[in-house]
Amino acid sequence: MLLRILELIGIGTFAASGALVGVTKRLDVFGVCVMGMFTALGGGVVRDLLLGVHPPTSLVNPVNLGTAFGVSFVVVFVHAVVMRLRRQILVLDALGMGLFASTGAVVALEHGAGPLAAALVGGTTAIGGGVIRDVLVNEVPLLLQREFYAVPALLAAALVGVVVHVGLSTNLALVVATTFAFVLRVVSLWRGWGLPTPRIE
Amino acid sequence: MLLRILELIGIGTFAASGALVGVTKRLDVFGVCVMGMFTALGGGVVRDLLLGVHPPTSLVNPVNLGTAFGVSFVVVFVHAVVMRLRRQILVLDALGMGLFASTGAVVALEHGAGPLAAALVGGTTAIGGGVIRDVLVNEVPLLLQREFYAVPALLAAALVGVVVHVGLSTNLALVVATTFAFVLRVVSLWRGWGLPTPRIE
Amino acid sequence: MLLRILELIGIGTFAASGALVGVTKRLDVFGVCVMGMFTALGGGVVRDLLLGVHPPTSLVNPVNLGTAFGVSFVVVFVHAVVMRLRRQILVLDALGMGLFASTGAVVALEHGAGPLAAALVGGTTAIGGGVIRDVLVNEVPLLLQREFYAVPALLAAALVGVVVHVGLSTNLALVVATTFAFVLRVVSLWRGWGLPTPRIE
């Protein structure tokens, strides 16, 4: 139950971030909603494509769809407020990222993927929506540039494999890995961590 | 039979629109043909990926492939003429859009998708090729910006689910939904309908 | 065994080309590695998505993953040297392209695809990584513009179908088609071949 609520929070914050980018790029109301839904559900669709789940569960679950659409639609009207809450949204987004990475890895393990593939599928689930969002509006994906974002996602997804391999329950793995990714991401935002950029002489 | 001819008209107009964009972006002959084929067949490939049809039927059907390639190749030589026929092509494109949305939804229902997933898969089939076309040449997809295009596609795909749910035949659903999307799109072009863009203060 | 070594050379050169683009675009260390891995493994992932291989073999094979990551990571430190070796890399890249096209077609045939679909899947395997690389950094894919690259890939993949259809072994098909694509690409680089661009009056 808690997990389900957290998942919807994740979907909602991802939808808000996608819809905000759409507003900034002067898309129309429908374009803003599409951006929100692709960002919120894109990672899960890519995960299901990689694992062979047809049709992707995101397209089947009306609550997830409704949350993504509803949040995007609301952002159309209150985008100025949402813009001011950017810092709070970043914290929620860190939660969503950790959750998407962990659940992605769990779903992959359940579909017979090894721990290595599960880590990659989990990481892809977490970053997929953001990459789709940025590619659609012709930006180089932010998380390739300077954000300490994909590293916590990948580590969390790998952690799921480790915890399950040790013999603990998947529920515990979800909690541990999500917390780990969330804390790592929030601390990195707070301390301004980033990876270095190779120097070009 | 009529349906098959309409499908090839849809593929042909989508190929022409993709190839025209390729010519405008100064791609070479091969690039123009690739643009035409991705635009014409991309929506169907995405549909089959979502539904788990392997390999995608578009890559298997030589007539569809030949139509997409042939039209793209011809556009290389007569692009000036095609450019002048833009208005007529928009009407054919509206037909293709309606048809792709409806058949996408029917194929989804046949593969066990519920009506909600079928509507999304149908809508994705109709807009997929155009989104791929615009992403490849680094444009923000037109249909996210101001075109009243994806809304009729989604509505038509949803309509298919309704008609079939009521107990009528899929053939009837195809005709009703395609006609609906076509008329809605053509009227919106004629009246200059568009969705509003959120204001940024 | 030889084939396996050639495959890793192909993955390595594709990773190097992706990582170099990442360095040029001022991505951070992680972004550079992601670019290298997407470029090296993207074509194979797309191939497996089209054929319904879940999870994609590229995400399962630790040697392929390690090669792609290792090469990308090394490029971070020695990109200036790699940049000077560009001509030698182009030759290795031609080998990788031929190999990806041929193996893509063979895998497609083994999964029940007809020769036409196999040719398209093989061509997509060879060019997929490069297209993903360019789309991620907002460039119109190079190979749509002026490179004589996708044509040899498609021809090689089609050649696999012909050789197998004639009744010869897939191993022979791999050698013949890879050699053909490699020679055609290297000669085209050497002679400066390219396809014409449609004139806009």
Side-chain angles (χ1 to χ4, degrees), chain A residues 1 32 46 87 103 122 138 181 195:
Chain A
M1 184 61 196
V32 169
V46 171
R87 289 184 61 185
T103 52
N138 296 317
L195 293 171

Side-chain angles (χ1 to χ4, degrees), chain C residues 43-143:
Chain C
V45 169
V46 171
R47 179 197 67 205
D48 289 352
L49 287 180
L50 291 174
L51 297 174
V53 180
H54 305 292
T57 46
S58 317
L59 301 187
V60 173
N61 188 316
V63 178
N64 292 10
L65 274 169
T67 304
F69 178 77
V71 168
S72 307
F73 195 70
V74 167
V75 166
V76 168
F77 299 99
V78 299
H79 56 85
V81 177
V82 178
M83 206 76 92
R84 276 200 299 278
L85 295 175
R86 225 178 320 191
R87 291 184 61 183
Q88 288 86 333
I89 287 179
L90 273 178
V91 174
L92 287 178
D93 179 88
L95 188 60
M97 176 272 286
L99 209 60
F100 280 26
S102 316
T103 51
V106 166
V107 174
L109 289 173
E110 282 170 356
H111 279 78
L116 186 62
L120 290 166
V121 169
T124 306
T125 308
I127 73 174
V131 169
I132 292 173
R133 175 195 64 207
D134 294 346
V135 165
L136 279 179
V137 296
N138 296 318
E139 302 285 347
V140 177
L142 255 180
L143 58 87

Side-chain angles (χ1 to χ4, degrees), chain B residues 98-120:
Chain B
L99 210 61
F100 280 26
S102 316
T103 51
V106 167
V107 174
L109 290 173
E110 281 171 356
H111 280 77
L116 187 63
L120 290 165

Side-chain angles (χ1 to χ4, degrees), chain A residues 38 76 80 114 124:
Chain A
F38 273 48
V76 168
T124 306

